[in-house]
């Protein structure tokens, strides 16, 4: 953009800056000098905003182009801190604005007074407008990339948390001595642990999808249904004593702790912890 606008012989240099209001300075994005050699911008080059007239900043913020036809002796050039200011006789500073206001500026430098024609000023304004669009699009891309990276990071962290929770739950299920049965809110079995299969005598996942009442004496079904209803409706934990029925038809005295599993306040599952208390009952008798 600077090379294009610097093509006329009376324009020998220029620069484009972006404002960083958080640090109260401007970052030099690009610098151009036609003679004697092209000049490139230092990526770390910054210009303090307090070194620029507040009137200039206010005018640029209002979308006004600053055209000085004759630079006075010792007069500063907006966003220009070069030691070669003595050769500048006129300059043009065009605001670069976006939806959130002034985001930068483009300054063109000339070595003769009254160097900028109306056509050049119009061309500079149009180029600044196109730069604003390009910068805005670049910001959107950066924002999308940052958001995507943050989302990936959150997904990765959440995945790790879920893996840890899954492994932890599996460790608890597989190592507890109590038989664990996990059902949906209709009492259909969704998961069991090794202790369940040992206590009830079933192999593998034979009972997945069956109703939990089939594991116990049918005459005591109302007790199970009441405990299930309390867990589903009120999230209430309960303890009941019923008669368990093994795969081979033999019975045992069972103590069951019934509790609900909530996820973000929403009922996900019902968990039953079953313990064989036949020996305890015999001792009590």
């Amino acid at each position: 953009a600077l090379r294009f606008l610097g093509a006329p012989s009376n324009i020998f240099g220029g620069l484009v800056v972006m404002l960083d209001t958080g640090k109260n300075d401007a970052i030099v994005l690009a610098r151009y000098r036609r003679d004697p050699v092209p000049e490139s911008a230092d990526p770390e080059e910054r210009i303090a905003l307090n070194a620029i007239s507040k009137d200039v900043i206010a005018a640029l913020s209002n979308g006004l182009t600053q055209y000085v036809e004759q630079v006075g002796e010792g007069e500063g050039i907006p966003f220009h801190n070069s030691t070669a200011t003595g050769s500048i006789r006129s300059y043009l500073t065009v605001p670069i604005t976006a939806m959130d206001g002034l985001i930068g500026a483009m300054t063109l430098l000339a070595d003769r007074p009254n160097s900028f024609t109306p056509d050049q000023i119009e061309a500079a304004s149009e180029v600044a407008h196109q730069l604003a669009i390009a910068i805005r699009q670049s910001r959107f891309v950066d924002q999308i990339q940052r958001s995507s990276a943050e989302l990936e990071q959150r997904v990765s962290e959440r995945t790790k948390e879920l893996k840890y929770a899954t492994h932890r739950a599996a460790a608890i299920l597989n190592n507890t001595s109590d038989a664990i049965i996990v059902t949906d809110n209709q009492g259909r079995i969704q998961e069991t642990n090794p202790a369940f299969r040992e206590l009830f005598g079933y192999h593998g996942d034979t009972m997945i999808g069956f109703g939990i009442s089939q594991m116990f004496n049918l005459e005591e079904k109302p007790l199970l249904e009441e405990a299930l209803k309390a867990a589903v409706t009120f999230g209430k934990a309960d303890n009941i004593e019923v008669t368990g029925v093994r795969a081979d038809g033999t019975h045992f005295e069972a103590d069951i702790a019934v509790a609900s599993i909530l996820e973000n306040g929403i009922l996900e599952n019902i968990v039953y912890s079953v313990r064989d208390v036949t020996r305890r009952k015999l001792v009590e008798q």
Side-chain angles (χ1 to χ4, degrees), residues 32-105:
Y32 167 75
R33 184 175 176 181
R34 188 185 64 227
D35 295 321
V37 291
E39 185 178 357
S40 61
D42 180 349
E44 300 297 326
E45 184 178 357
R46 289 176 174 267
I47 300 170
L49 291 181
N50 55 18
I52 302 167
S53 166
K54 292 182 179 179
D55 292 338
V56 170
I57 296 294
L60 293 172
S61 298
N62 289 323
L64 301 177
T65 296
Q66 299 295 289
Y67 174 31
V68 175
E69 299 176 348
Q70 176 69 57
V71 177
E73 186 69 26
E75 183 177 343
I77 311 299
F79 307 107
H80 185 72
N81 56 9
S82 171
T83 56
T85 53
S87 61
I88 300 172
R89 294 292 178 263
S90 60
Y91 68 84
L92 178 70
T93 299
V94 184
I96 300 175
T97 58
M99 291 179 291
D100 51 351
L102 182 69
I103 62 172

